[in-house]
Amino acid sequence: VQLVESGGGLVQAGGSLRLSCAASGFTLTHFDQYAFGWFRQAPGKEREVVSCISSVDRSTYYTGSVKGRFTISGDNAKNTINLQLNSLKPEDTAVYYCAADLFDFCRLYMDYGHGQRHADLSSWGQGTQVTVSS
């Protein structure tokens, strides 16, 4: 599965952005069989999960720092996963990556608060830069 992110940019604190992750290249599988996640990596920091959506029931997970500000959603007709970013803060500045896997890694975050190794996820996008100025 190939993933392409878009929608990043420069925004002032308090502003909003909408990130999209377009998925393609499904072979004998379907978009709705995959769990999807948004991750981010700031300079000098490890990559961290931001939000994810389960492949089983499309339930969602958000890391604590973005709860109430970010919203993940899926569009089965367009094979797209979106992430709405509201009330942005300078600390949200990072490269945002989309990831997908047939394994419901999102369930691990929901049940245990942590997921599998990022390298074990089968598909990653190239990332899109989000910069929030103060």
Side-chain angles (χ1 to χ4, degrees), residues 40-48 90-95 97:
R40 66 186 179 186
Q41 188 165 17
K45 295 188 176 181
E46 292 187 355
R47 191 170 298 189
E48 63 173 355
E91 51 264 42
D92 294 318
T93 295
V95 178
Y97 298 90

Side-chain angles (χ1 to χ4, degrees), residues 98-119:
C98 178
D101 203 287
L102 283 171
F103 173 70
D104 193 4
F105 63 91
C106 192
R107 180 58 55 183
L108 295 178
Y109 287 106
M110 289 188 277
D111 291 350
Y112 304 109
H114 63 83
Q116 63 192 84
R117 294 188 311 162
H118 297 163

Side-chain angles (χ1 to χ4, degrees), residues 25-116:
F26 299 101
T27 304
L28 302 179
T29 59
H30 299 278
F31 174 82
D32 57 8
Q33 293 178 284
Y34 285 78
F36 289 88
W38 283 97
F39 296 76
R40 66 186 179 186
Q41 188 165 17
K45 295 188 176 181
E46 292 187 355
R47 191 170 298 189
E48 63 173 355
V49 67
V50 176
S51 177
C52 61
I53 188 164
S54 167
S55 58
V56 174
D57 56 8
R58 287 321 196 197
S59 54
T60 58
Y61 167 88
Y62 298 92
T63 194
S65 62
V66 309
K67 279 183 180 178
R69 300 189 299 122
F70 292 7
T71 303
I72 192 171
S73 62
D75 186 336
N76 285 359
K78 297 181 179 180
N79 288 354
T80 299
I81 294 290
N82 300 308
L83 186 68
Q84 179 69 36
L85 291 64
N86 296 330
S87 302
L88 282 161
K89 304 175 181 180
E91 51 264 42
D92 294 318
T93 295
V95 178
Y96 283 69
Y97 298 90
C98 178
D101 203 287
L102 283 171
F103 173 70
D104 193 4
F105 63 91
C106 192
R107 180 58 55 183
L108 295 178
Y109 287 106
M110 289 188 277
D111 291 350
Y112 304 109
H114 63 83
Q116 63 192 84

